Amino acid sequence: MKYMTSAGKVVSDSTLPAATRELVKIRASQINGCGVCTDMHTKDAAHAGETSVRLNLIVAWREAKVFTDAERAALELAEQGTRIADAAGGVTDAAWANAAKHYDEGQLAALVSLIALINAWNRMNLITQQPAGDYRPRQWG
């Protein structure tokens, strides 16, 4: 866990916007059914000032008008990167190009790393059957 936490620190120290990082973590956690990560990241995002409207609409981001084009590109990349086993070709060229249009090289590297990390955290929590619901904002940093 300390190595994953260290990798997460590199991502959080990047210039990828904090709101985008939380949106991506929440969406991947929703897809993976990770209650503890969904609980943690929605509470941390709300504590940081994210609105309940945006938090409630992450699951339906394609139909929602409350996300920027850059956030939508990040959410698309997160979905495709999380659903690799479900998608015949993995991440599409179009999703990658759209993300690259909104994020510089460092931010894109952070975004890809974040998607990989949250998926790993989701799997660790699901495998070890971690309970959800009692997380307090910023409890673990």
Side-chain angles (χ1 to χ4, degrees), residues 116-134:
L117 280 168
I118 192 59
N119 275 278
W121 281 114
N122 291 164
R123 281 152 179 77
M124 285 179 57
N125 285 318
L126 288 165
I127 290 166
T128 59
Q129 300 179 5
Q130 296 301 306
D134 60 356

Side-chain angles (χ1 to χ4, degrees), residues 4-94:
M4 287 180 53
T5 301
S6 294
K9 174 94 169 89
V10 172
V11 172
S12 65
D13 289 346
S14 76
T15 60
L16 184 66
T20 301
R21 292 193 309 261
E22 289 302 323
L23 294 173
V24 164
K25 290 185 274 189
I26 293 165
R27 186 62 191 126
S29 299
Q30 289 171 335
I31 292 166
N32 288 325
C34 183
V36 70
C37 287
T38 301
D39 182 40
M40 177 190 337
H41 296 298
T42 55
K43 287 176 179 174
D44 283 347
H47 182 75
E50 190 60 79
T51 68
S52 60
V53 170
R54 283 171 43 98
L55 289 173
N56 291 333
L57 288 173
I58 294 169
V59 71
W61 65 268
R62 283 182 179 80
E63 294 80 25
K65 298 178 181 181
V66 297
F67 302 106
T68 67
D69 289 343
E71 290 168 338
R72 296 169 69 75
L75 287 164
E76 178 67 27
L77 193 66
E79 280 197 8
Q80 289 188 18
T82 298
R83 297 180 191 262
I84 288 175
D86 301 337
V91 174
T92 65
D93 291 342

Side-chain angles (χ1 to χ4, degrees), residues 81-110:
T82 298
R83 297 180 191 262
I84 288 175
D86 301 337
V91 174
T92 65
D93 291 342
W96 181 261
N98 193 29
K101 182 171 67 174
H102 295 284
Y103 300 102
D104 65 30
E105 187 175 309
Q107 292 171 322
L108 199 53

